[in-house]
Amino acid sequence: MTIEGGAVLFTDEVLKDENNIRKIIYKILKDQGTSIRIIALNDTRTRGKDFSCIFKIKFNKKFDINFKNISNSIYTIKAPRVLIIKLLIGYPYSEVENEMNIHKILGSQTTMMPICPSFLFHQEINNDEMMTTIGAAFYDLLKLKASNEDYTEFCDFIKNKDPKTSKQVQNIFVMEFIECTSYIEFYENTLTNNAGKKLSKKSFYKYTILDESIELSCANKSEELQNFFTYYMASLLAIKGFHHSDIHSDNIMICSNIEEKKSEQQEDQLNTERTTIFPFVIDFGRAGMINREELVFRELHLKGNGRKKLKLDDLSVEPYFDREQYLRPIYLNAVKNKTTIVEYVNRLLKEENYVDAVLTISMCINPKSGMYPSIFQGFYDFKHEPYADLYFITAARKIKYNSIISQLIQKRNLLEKGQQIMRDSITLSPEYPPYSGLDKIDPRIVSNEFDSKEFVDVDGGKLILKRKKKSIKKKSKKSKKSKTKKSKKFKKSKRN
């Protein structure tokens, strides 16, 4: 199974010895040139005894030599010297282990089409109630470089005036930084860019993913935007053999690049510019693999709100809302296939019925990560609103989403195949010497099928493959000459 992840990684030299990673992280945290800022204090959990905090650190260029795609590349990459530190306090070991293992798989490979940020380092920083050197360095940096107001807010949030003395288990994750926004922020920015334009039920936004255009309705605020990208990212995880078990608007981020476009727009199109989107998924604490041990179906409570909404106790009565009318047969089919739910989900994926597959997965849990309710049960029985994005679904949207997702997955498969061809060419070709950072594909060895591509850089060091639009006639005329004239001049990758 080909797994994709991030692009800003430690060099092979660093990875030769695990101690090297700890030393580099420690030196970055202790360096006078390192800064830190709190970017999220997540108070969304129900127990009130565990805390998730996210910090952004910037480091000195002298550390560049330790990372791929910042300095160790055939190109001059202007990737920001920024990392993300995620701090988990009091989280169950099962979730921490899941976060680490799955993020390592999905976020530790070099690729042009990442699903999540690169994973770089993890450590439990207060073993035996004593801070590790990295834990102490982190808190020293936070107290020294964060503002007094931010540091006080953090201490109040975790309910401890001196975090170093906390008896709760603390885990640090170091990841690549990617400049993205939430669904709501992205939608609000889009509205700002289209200020003064009349909104109607027919109005739509046009976005580009992997150079494929998609149209999403602007009705009901950002509903279809959130709805579609939740299904898209859940589908990508599923075809890679994973389920998220906690997928909602805070766990999917939107990176975008806006290019001015002077061509004529359709009558009801709101955005005149070309908006290229790169979505990412984060937080894998409850995630698991799609196998019999880590994907288990969970039925709704017998006296819960969900059964009433879906009218499960009297199937002769139709649910009131369209979404419940659509969801009821999905749930009943899942119940029917609950003992073979993995095979059932894989069959739906094979049939390219991504919407039903994602909905069925949302009715399941990973028992290894703790006995939390499923997303479906969380929304319908416990009214957990962040999960609502997944359930604004109808038969009409299913047809639309399945068509778009199928098209995008086919494009990804094509690009992955081209990426593998290029990697093999790098490995086998004696004409060009090997180089580190294979995610920056050397254009000298690109095959004919892919010679019309350029690279688009996303803030965070990732490169996304983008196809230039050329007519079939022009391409066919040039194909015979491309073998002999391929090594002349090539454009450098452009940073968005």
Side-chain angles (χ1 to χ4, degrees):
M1 180 165 53
T2 301
I3 302 296
E4 300 164 353
V8 174
L9 301 169
F10 287 116
T11 63
D12 295 337
E13 186 65 30
V14 171
L15 295 174
K16 286 180 180 179
D17 185 348
E18 189 175 342
N19 289 324
N20 289 337
I21 299 175
R22 285 194 290 269
K23 290 176 182 177
I24 291 166
I25 296 296
Y26 177 77
K27 288 179 179 179
I28 288 176
L29 293 174
K30 295 296 289 184
D31 189 72
Q32 289 294 318
T34 300
S35 64
I36 187 168
R37 183 168 66 88
I38 300 172
I39 61 175
L41 300 175
N42 299 320
D43 192 17
T44 58
R45 307 194 34 110
T46 57
R47 291 187 293 270
K49 296 180 181 179
D50 41 25
F51 311 94
S52 171
C53 314
I54 300 177
F55 307 84
K56 176 180 176 181
I57 66 169
K58 294 183 178 181
F59 58 90
N60 195 291
K61 66 179 181 180
K62 66 185 178 184
F63 294 106
D64 287 0
I65 193 172
N66 300 299
F67 296 94
K68 291 181 181 179
N69 310 338
I70 292 181
S71 65
N72 198 13
S73 171
I74 62 170
Y75 296 112
T76 302
I77 303 299
K78 295 182 180 178
R81 299 176 180 90
V82 183
L83 297 175
I84 288 294
I85 288 182
K86 182 175 181 179
L87 176 67
L88 300 181
I89 301 178
Y91 269 55
Y93 175 74
S94 58
E95 286 195 47
V96 174
E97 185 180 39
N98 245 21
E99 179 86 20
M100 177 175 61
N101 292 339
I102 293 180
H103 206 149
K104 273 186 177 180
I105 296 172
L106 290 173
S108 298
Q109 310 297 318
T110 54
T111 181
M112 294 173 293
M113 295 172 289
I115 292 176
C116 65
S118 301
F119 175 90
L120 296 173
F121 176 75
H122 161 262
Q123 186 182 75
E124 184 179 308
I125 62 172
N126 59 342
N127 293 313
D128 300 322
E129 299 183 11
M130 293 288 291
M131 278 288 152
T132 63
T133 55
I134 285 179
F138 167 74
Y139 280 121
D140 289 343
L141 175 67
L142 183 63
K143 189 171 184 178
L144 180 65
K145 294 294 183 72
S147 67
N148 290 332
E149 183 181 351
D150 282 352
Y151 185 74
T152 301
E153 182 184 5
F154 168 73
C155 293
D156 290 342
F157 174 74
I158 66 170
K159 302 173 184 178
N160 197 316
K161 292 183 179 180
D162 184 0
K164 289 183 180 181
T165 64
S166 174
K167 293 183 179 180
Q168 289 181 289
V169 176
Q170 302 188 34
N171 284 270
I172 271 182
F173 292 85
V174 181
M175 298 176 286
E176 169 190 20
F177 167 75
I178 302 175
E179 189 68 74
C180 295
T181 59
S182 67
Y183 283 134
I184 300 300
E185 289 172 321
F186 178 77
Y187 179 74
E188 288 177 348
N189 290 339
T190 305
L191 281 183
T192 300
N193 293 337
N194 290 276
K197 293 186 179 179
K198 186 177 180 180
L199 302 180
S200 70
K201 290 183 178 180
K202 294 182 179 180
S203 298
F204 66 90
Y205 296 108
K206 198 169 186 177
Y207 302 113
T208 301
I209 308 176
L210 300 179
D211 214 33
E212 299 291 334
S213 293
I214 66 169
E215 295 179 5
L216 298 177
S217 171
C218 80
N220 299 320
K221 296 184 178 181
S222 61
E223 181 182 294
E224 190 163 288
L225 172 74
Q226 295 175 225
N227 196 212
F228 171 75
F229 282 108
T230 302
Y231 277 100
Y232 177 50
M233 296 312 294
S235 297
L236 288 184
L237 287 174
I239 64 173
K240 298 301 181 184
F242 292 91
H243 65 101
H244 194 279
S245 288
D246 192 28
I247 200 161
H248 53 76
S249 56
D250 288 335
N251 287 337
I252 297 179
M253 306 298 289
I254 301 290
C255 298
S256 62
N257 173 52
I258 299 177
E259 307 169 28
E260 292 185 2
K261 188 177 182 182
K262 297 180 180 179
S263 59
E264 293 184 7
Q265 69 180 85
Q266 294 170 253
E267 182 178 354
D268 296 309
Q269 182 179 336
L270 293 174
N271 51 334
T272 57
E273 64 277 332
R274 175 186 169 98
T275 305
T276 304
I277 289 179
F278 317 106
F280 294 90
V281 63
I282 59 174
D283 278 351
F284 298 101
R286 301 183 192 177
M289 298 191 72
I290 298 179
N291 59 34
R292 293 189 177 184
E293 291 73 34
E294 299 183 18
L295 187 72
V296 177
F297 177 76
R298 281 289 179 266
E299 294 191 37
L300 292 169
H301 287 311
L302 290 175
K303 296 182 180 181
N305 188 59
R307 295 188 68 86
K308 294 178 183 178
K309 282 277 188 180
L310 297 177
K311 307 295 183 185
L312 293 176
D313 296 324
D314 186 356
L315 298 180
S316 66
V317 179
E318 284 289 321
Y320 182 76
F321 293 106
D322 288 347
R323 67 181 182 186
E324 275 77 36
Q325 290 177 22
Y326 179 78
L327 288 169
R328 183 167 71 177
I330 303 298
Y331 176 78
L332 292 174
N333 280 332
V335 173
K336 182 180 177 180
N337 292 278
K338 64 182 179 181
T339 58
T340 56
I341 201 71
V342 172
E343 291 80 4
Y344 177 58
V345 166
N346 285 331
R347 186 163 70 249
L348 292 173
L349 292 172
K350 188 175 181 180
E351 294 169 355
E352 298 185 355
N353 189 351
Y354 299 109
V355 169
D356 287 8
V358 168
L359 286 171
T360 303
I361 289 171
S362 79
M363 300 169 184
C364 302
I365 66 166
N366 176 11
K368 289 185 176 180
S369 68
M371 299 305 290
Y372 297 101
S374 68
I375 296 174
F376 190 66
Q377 189 179 30
F379 178 66
Y380 274 102
D381 280 344
F382 302 111
K383 300 180 181 180
H384 190 51
E385 283 303 313
Y387 293 147
D389 297 332
L390 201 59
Y391 301 113
F392 293 116
I393 192 68
T394 62
R397 282 191 178 180
K398 169 189 171 177
I399 294 171
K400 177 179 179 178
Y401 292 174
N402 277 343
S403 175
I404 297 173
I405 293 170
S406 178
Q407 183 181 16
L408 293 176
I409 287 176
Q410 287 178 21
K411 174 58 75 69
R412 286 181 67 94
N413 291 338
L414 180 66
L415 296 180
E416 285 176 9
K417 180 181 177 182
Q419 181 181 357
Q420 188 59 52
I421 290 172
M422 289 184 264
R423 287 176 182 272
D424 292 343
S425 299
I426 292 170
T427 304
L428 299 175
S429 175
E431 185 177 354
Y432 305 108
Y435 61 96
S436 61
L438 293 182
D439 50 300
K440 305 296 183 291
I441 301 299
D442 191 333
R444 294 172 297 184
I445 47 76
V446 178
S447 64
N448 289 341
E449 183 181 2
F450 296 91
D451 64 357
S452 62
K453 295 191 176 80
E454 63 176 295
F455 295 97
V456 177
D457 195 7
V458 179
D459 197 355
K462 297 183 182 299
L463 292 185
I464 306 297
L465 205 55
K466 169 186 170 186
R467 184 184 296 277
K468 291 180 180 178
K469 292 185 178 180
K470 291 187 177 183
S471 68
I472 297 175
K473 290 183 180 180
K474 288 183 179 180
K475 185 175 180 181
S476 62
K477 288 180 180 179
K478 293 182 180 181
S479 61
K480 293 182 181 179
K481 299 179 181 180
S482 61
K483 292 183 180 179
T484 57
K485 295 185 177 181
K486 194 169 291 178
S487 59
K488 285 191 175 181
K489 289 185 179 180
F490 297 89
K491 293 181 179 180
K492 291 183 177 179
S493 59
K494 295 179 180 179
R495 186 168 182 78
N496 291 332

